[in-house]
Amino acid sequence: MDTKRYRDFADFLNEHFDGKVQKISLHAGFTCPNRDGSIGVGGCTYCNNQTFSPDYCHTGKSITRQLDEGVAFFARKYPTMRYLAYFQAYTNTYGELEALKRKYEEALAHPGVVGLIIGTRPDCMPADLLDYLADLSRRTFVLVEYGVESTSDETLRRINRGHDFATSVDAIRRTSAAGVLVGAHMILGLPGESREMMLKHARSLSQLPLDTLKLHQLQLIRHTRMAREYEMSPQDFHLYGVDEYIDLAIDFAERLSPSIAIERFVSQSPAELLIAPRWGLKNHEFTARLLRRMRERDAWQGRLCDE
């Protein structure tokens, strides 16, 4: 095991590309079936999409313009960089097939774009769209990233997710079987989940054909239902201190299959939206601290994985 002690997203990208690639986040104007009434209303209790939309990423701008501005931002420092168009905000497979294809193809037509990352829900991957993405993946890089969030159905109901874990398992298996790269997103620290439950998530995910995984700590964000729940019943929440969360994340990684690339351990929401926890660390500072702790513990990804 190298000094990083876990398989990171750079390792994963190096298997698919020669040279540097950078994600550019896009807001393609999608909504979500958990907001428009087809599954539910109000969305997931923790969700405020403003927390992960860069300044150049706004609904009123075309995909091409967002890519132009994203490339301009990065190219000043890295003129030879290539890019992955990251359909990030809301549910990016939720729509009529031809309309979806037009958005994806517009992104791929942009100079310098060498692939797609598509963030979506596991209950929004119909067979005809998956067939199209399977064909597309034979021509270019395609990674579908599913919001799993928890393997506990009780938790998923509590956060108003609108699907169960079996739906995530089915979507991940179908996507991988179609030859499309597949990732998952998980939140550690959701209300009602014990440490033991969260470590069980790692073991459950290790049984699935996942290529990548994003983890992040529970954050309470302004203007969300969860923020209101916290205000009314703070005793229902455990907000991790940074060192406590680092040990949790390491315990999780040790139980996770070493074949799954961990793209990140934390998320950093805008200060004006974040209620708690406030750690005052940049993502790279957190990662350096986590790696130092992994070396202290002589820990590495997969050490306790029983796959």
Side-chain angles (χ1 to χ4, degrees):
M1 178 63 64
D2 65 17
T3 56
K4 291 185 293 188
R5 294 187 173 258
Y6 67 92
R7 184 165 183 255
D8 67 13
F9 196 56
D11 297 327
F12 169 74
L13 290 177
N14 287 339
E15 295 172 2
H16 296 276
F17 298 101
D18 295 322
K20 282 186 170 293
V21 292
Q22 171 67 48
K23 293 190 298 182
I24 294 179
S25 295
L26 301 174
H27 193 318
F30 293 103
T31 181
C32 172
N34 202 18
R35 288 178 174 272
D36 70 4
S38 68
I39 290 175
V41 294
C44 303
T45 61
Y46 56 81
C47 182
N48 180 336
N49 264 258
Q50 289 178 266
T51 59
F52 50 69
S53 293
D55 290 341
Y56 61 77
C57 181
H58 295 294
T59 313
K61 299 177 182 178
S62 70
I63 288 170
T64 298
R65 182 178 172 190
Q66 290 178 59
L67 287 168
D68 284 343
E69 294 181 6
V71 168
F73 177 82
F74 291 109
R76 288 192 293 268
K77 190 172 182 181
Y78 304 106
T80 62
M81 183 80 76
R82 293 175 295 168
Y83 301 94
L84 298 173
Y86 180 22
F87 287 82
Q88 182 178 21
Y90 294 107
T91 305
N92 294 278
T93 59
Y94 185 50
E96 191 268 329
L97 179 61
E98 291 304 316
L100 293 171
K101 289 165 65 174
R102 284 193 296 272
K103 291 178 185 289
Y104 303 151
E105 299 285 354
E106 180 181 352
L108 287 170
H110 193 282
V113 170
V114 292
L116 303 178
I117 300 178
I118 301 169
T120 191
R121 293 169 55 92
D123 53 358
C124 292
M125 185 54 73
D128 56 353
L129 176 58
L130 185 55
D131 288 344
Y132 164 75
L133 293 176
D135 178 67
L136 193 62
S137 70
R138 289 187 279 271
R139 298 186 276 126
T140 191
F141 176 93
V142 179
L143 170 65
V144 174
E145 183 182 290
Y146 290 112
V148 176
E149 315 311 356
S150 174
T151 69
S152 163
D153 287 346
E154 181 180 355
T155 299
L156 294 171
R157 286 190 295 272
R158 180 167 182 172
I159 63 174
N160 196 41
R161 185 65 189 161
H163 64 77
D164 58 11
F165 180 55
T167 302
S168 295
V169 171
D170 175 67
I172 291 167
R173 292 195 184 281
R174 287 192 298 118
T175 304
S176 178
V180 179
L181 296 167
V182 58
H185 182 279
M186 295 286 289
I187 301 173
L188 298 183
L190 287 167
E193 293 204 343
S194 66
R195 189 181 190 90
E196 291 70 27
M197 288 175 66
M198 287 181 271
L199 298 182
K200 183 180 177 183
H201 297 334
R203 299 192 184 280
S204 297
L205 294 175
S206 295
Q207 304 305 311
L208 298 176
L210 284 169
D211 297 289
T212 66
L213 176 65
K214 285 180 178 176
L215 300 174
H216 78 67
Q217 77 282 21
L218 177 67
Q219 297 177 100
L220 297 176
I221 306 300
R222 299 187 192 284
H223 315 305
T224 62
R225 193 185 319 180
M226 187 171 284
R228 294 193 297 272
E229 292 173 358
Y230 177 73
E231 186 177 353
M232 295 178 64
S233 302
Q235 70 278 3
D236 291 346
F237 293 78
H238 180 83
L239 299 178
Y240 281 80
V242 62
D243 291 324
E244 183 186 18
Y245 180 79
I246 283 173
D247 276 322
L248 172 64
I250 293 171
D251 289 344
F252 189 100
E254 289 202 300
R255 289 158 177 80
L256 186 71
S257 167
S259 66
I260 300 173
I262 303 175
E263 183 171 352
R264 72 180 189 207
F265 288 95
V266 290
S267 180
Q268 188 177 8
S269 296
E272 66 272 16
L273 293 176
L274 180 63
I275 298 172
R278 288 179 171 269
W279 293 342
L281 291 175
K282 301 289 188 184
N283 287 358
H284 70 90
E285 294 172 328
F286 176 92
T287 301
R289 199 156 161 173
L290 177 137
L291 286 170
R292 185 166 60 247
R293 181 63 175 150
M294 290 186 90
R295 288 190 290 271
E296 290 172 357
R297 289 178 46 174
D298 194 23
W300 63 87
Q301 182 182 347
R303 186 179 74 87
L304 299 176
C305 178
D306 54 6
E307 65 172 358

